[in-house]
Amino acid sequence: MRRRREEPGWLHGKPPPRWARIAPPVALVVLVLAQGITPGDIELGYFLAGLPPVAAFAYGAAGTAVFAGIVLLLLGVSSLGVGHAQGADLATVAVIALLSVVIAWVRRRRDAQLVSVRTVAEAAQLAVLPPVPVRVGAVRCAGLYRAAQRGTLVGGDLYDVRVGPYGVRALVGDVQGHGLAAVGTVAALLGAFREGVLDDKELVGVAARLDRRLLADTAGAADTPVAAGAADSPGSAGSAGSPDGSGEQPELFATALLLEFAPGLDLVRIVSCGHPPPLLLRASTVSEPTVEPGPPLGLGLAGPDLAVAVDVPLLPGDRLLAYTDGVTEARDAAGEFYPLAARLPALETDPAGLVEAVWQDLLEFTAGGPGDDVALLVLSLPEA
């Protein structure tokens, strides 16, 4: 499962691209040859002084030092016919070369630190939202996740598929906000869901557990010493706890779609908490099952009857596509929303996979990608 846009290799600690390593020696050879065929009253050798700084972006300190030595040799030994630098001119080139070696050394150290930090960050984010297996119990799965914030693997959307004593259960949700600021809420919801898969006999019980988790987190955030201290500190009136200056802790809320494939039954049980229902792909048709909508999680609006479970019969070959609003609220250049249901019939035959086909189509529709987190999850029972 791929969950992020491709990024330049340097951001992943890979070696610089080949062209960056070839450019300095090629420029060196070209300048030397050009000086050889140029009349003696025209000096091109001083252009060589720019090669060590360029080499510092593609080579380490040792490689840059080699380029610096070659440049100083070509410019300082006039008998080579390339340069005639002397005195202050040669000293200036030597200082540039020395600074280039230092820059190359610092860059290599920073690259190593970046790789270490990114590796830890990726491991932490993947622990929160691990890839969905191809098969969970009797259910086939395919997922795709794209975080809106570049360089991150987890944002404000979430999904998970788990098998438990009451069947295979899936969760697709969208929490308030996006990016790294929403990861804490995502982790809390996923933890509550995984407990509910094992402990709650009814699917609505899992939804109630998620609701209680967000309500408890909201209450806990309002009681933190940080919030209280900010409210009492001088000059902080009207700014503690909420970005609008009201002094109240903002609510944590999320929309969620819960699905359950009960053992031995050709149906899916669906609970919606303010989340759009999934799309049902049957042969070449796309439909939206009628689902009883419930309020979002974390607002405390539902009381004991949080949501209503609806059973949807399934036929062999049926597929369910659950998604977040980052898909359907994406716009093209004219401001039109992405018509997911209308485009699915043409995309479902893509051999690369439905979720990847939807993502590629979404990239073309929006001319570069949506500005919100995107989550897609396809679930189906075996045809046999």
Side-chain angles (χ1 to χ4, degrees), residues 13-270:
K14 297 179 182 178
R18 183 174 297 179
W19 63 264
R21 299 181 64 85
I22 293 177
V26 169
L28 178 66
V29 173
V30 170
L31 286 173
V32 171
L33 293 178
Q35 183 63 63
I37 61 177
T38 301
D41 58 341
I42 299 177
E43 182 99 16
L44 299 178
Y46 285 105
F47 286 105
L48 293 173
L51 291 183
V54 174
F57 288 97
Y59 292 86
T64 304
V66 170
F67 275 100
I70 294 174
V71 168
L72 290 173
L73 179 66
L74 292 174
L75 293 179
V77 181
S78 57
S79 59
L80 296 177
V82 178
H84 307 280
Q86 295 179 353
D89 292 338
L90 189 62
T92 301
V93 176
V95 170
I96 294 174
L98 179 61
L99 290 177
S100 300
V101 173
V102 174
I103 290 172
W105 178 76
V106 172
R107 182 190 61 81
R108 276 293 176 90
R109 289 200 62 184
R110 293 297 298 271
D111 285 351
Q113 292 173 353
L114 177 62
V115 171
S116 177
V117 170
R118 186 178 181 88
T119 301
V120 173
E122 288 187 355
Q125 293 179 78
L126 287 174
V128 173
L129 193 64
V132 174
V134 176
R135 189 182 182 111
V136 178
V139 178
R140 299 182 186 276
C141 311
L144 180 141
Y145 194 105
R146 296 292 187 273
Q149 185 172 338
R150 294 187 64 86
T152 62
L153 304 180
V154 181
D157 291 355
L158 64 145
Y159 58 58
D160 199 6
V161 185
R162 298 278 166 162
V163 62
Y166 310 108
V168 176
R169 288 171 171 172
L171 166 68
V172 176
D174 185 357
V175 309
Q176 174 193 18
H178 61 267
L180 292 177
V183 173
T185 308
V186 168
L189 285 176
L190 288 172
F193 169 73
R194 291 161 187 168
E195 292 178 358
V197 168
L198 300 176
D199 299 336
D200 295 315
K201 183 176 181 180
E202 300 296 334
L203 191 60
V204 292
V206 181
R209 180 187 292 265
L210 301 180
D211 186 57
R212 291 195 303 271
R213 177 71 272 166
L214 287 188
L215 288 174
D217 287 351
T218 301
D223 295 335
T224 55
V226 173
D232 296 336
S233 62
S236 64
S239 63
S242 67
D244 60 1
S246 64
E248 296 180 358
Q249 186 71 21
E251 292 176 312
L252 299 176
F253 67 91
T255 65
L257 184 73
L258 292 148
L259 304 98
E260 178 183 272
F261 296 84
L265 299 179
D266 293 330
L267 58 84
V268 59
R269 188 165 290 121
I270 303 175

Side-chain angles (χ1 to χ4, degrees), residues 315-343:
L315 298 178
D318 285 354
R319 286 177 291 173
L320 288 164
L321 173 62
Y323 56 91
T324 56
D325 59 9
V327 179
T328 52
E329 293 184 1
R331 298 173 182 260
D332 61 6
E336 298 293 331
F337 289 110
Y338 179 70
L340 176 61
R343 289 181 176 250

Side-chain angles (χ1 to χ4, degrees), residues 291-318:
V291 177
E292 186 72 23
L297 303 170
L299 298 182
L301 300 177
D305 300 324
L306 178 68
V308 177
V310 175
D311 291 343
V312 178
L314 294 178
L315 298 178
D318 285 354

